[in-house]
Amino acid sequence: GSELSNAAEVTVIPVGVEITSAPEDAALCPGQELILEVVSPDATIYQWYKNGLEMENETSSTLNLGAVSQDDAGDYECFVANYCSEILTEAATVSLKSLTEIITQPLGIETLPGDDVTFTVEALGENLSYQWYFETEEIADSETNELLLLDVTYSMVGNYFVSVGGDCGTVM
């Protein structure tokens, strides 16, 4: 007959927790969605922290902040562990950019034929760009916050406006 051998046992040696992908810094516009993620193949425990304080019920490898607001700005870390070891990720800094907005509108001007006229707009935001218009037409080479009209004539009478674009929107 046949006979069974003695049992050979398989033992898995505990592996220390290792982070293979950490959450990254993010600079966002208000309302943009943000998900922070940590990848640690052997981790069984996750706990997220914001500015050093434990975040209640945030115990998975991903942290979904949803549509961000100024309240979400800060430093985020994730505590990652298994039964063998533990580690804290480097902080990922979440910052919010300024919404693009016009703070000083260009003002209408009364002038005489032959005079020079300057329209100015002041805006807030990041990486701002400008485009001026006369009525509905783009004005060539008018890509700063000022529009200079030289030697005004009656054909230049009308409405001038500017479009201001930035990282967080375009406004007129």
Side-chain angles (χ1 to χ4, degrees):
S2 61
E3 189 175 319
L4 291 175
S5 70
N6 292 338
E9 185 177 331
V10 173
T11 304
V12 176
I13 299 170
V15 176
V17 70
E18 179 183 5
I19 294 171
T20 56
S21 178
E24 296 182 3
D25 293 350
L28 303 165
C29 297
Q32 282 186 295
E33 301 282 322
L34 178 62
I35 298 174
L36 296 175
E37 182 177 20
V38 61
V39 178
S40 181
D42 299 308
T44 55
I45 298 169
Y46 300 89
Q47 177 60 61
W48 286 91
Y49 291 82
K50 178 184 174 192
N51 297 328
L53 301 174
E54 185 176 306
M55 298 177 72
E56 192 174 323
N57 300 320
E58 298 296 349
T59 57
S60 71
S61 61
T62 58
L63 175 63
N64 186 346
L65 295 177
V68 295
S69 68
Q70 196 59 46
D71 292 342
D72 295 309
D75 292 328
Y76 291 83
E77 300 165 302
C78 188
F79 172 81
V80 180
N82 64 17
Y83 57 89
C84 189
S85 67
E86 59 189 44
I87 193 167
L88 188 65
T89 65
E90 292 288 320
T93 300
V94 173
S95 58
L96 265 71
K97 298 179 180 184
S98 299
L99 284 174
T100 304
E101 63 179 313
I102 293 176
I103 56 171
T104 304
Q105 293 281 351
L107 300 174
I109 298 172
E110 289 184 8
T111 190
L112 297 172
D115 284 351
D116 296 342
V117 170
T118 301
F119 292 107
T120 303
V121 66
E122 288 184 51
L124 292 177
E126 300 184 36
N127 297 313
L128 296 177
S129 62
Y130 303 88
Q131 178 60 58
W132 287 88
Y133 295 83
F134 173 61
E135 301 298 347
T136 59
E137 299 296 316
E138 280 189 10
I139 300 172
D141 302 318
S142 64
E143 295 154 4
T144 69
N145 72 317
E146 289 188 345
L147 175 65
L148 175 60
L149 303 177
L150 298 175
D151 192 23
V152 172
T153 64
Y154 288 108
S155 67
M156 300 165 86
V157 171
N159 294 307
Y160 292 82
F161 63 95
V162 63
S163 171
V164 181
D167 287 353
C168 296
T170 299
V171 292
M172 290 188 168

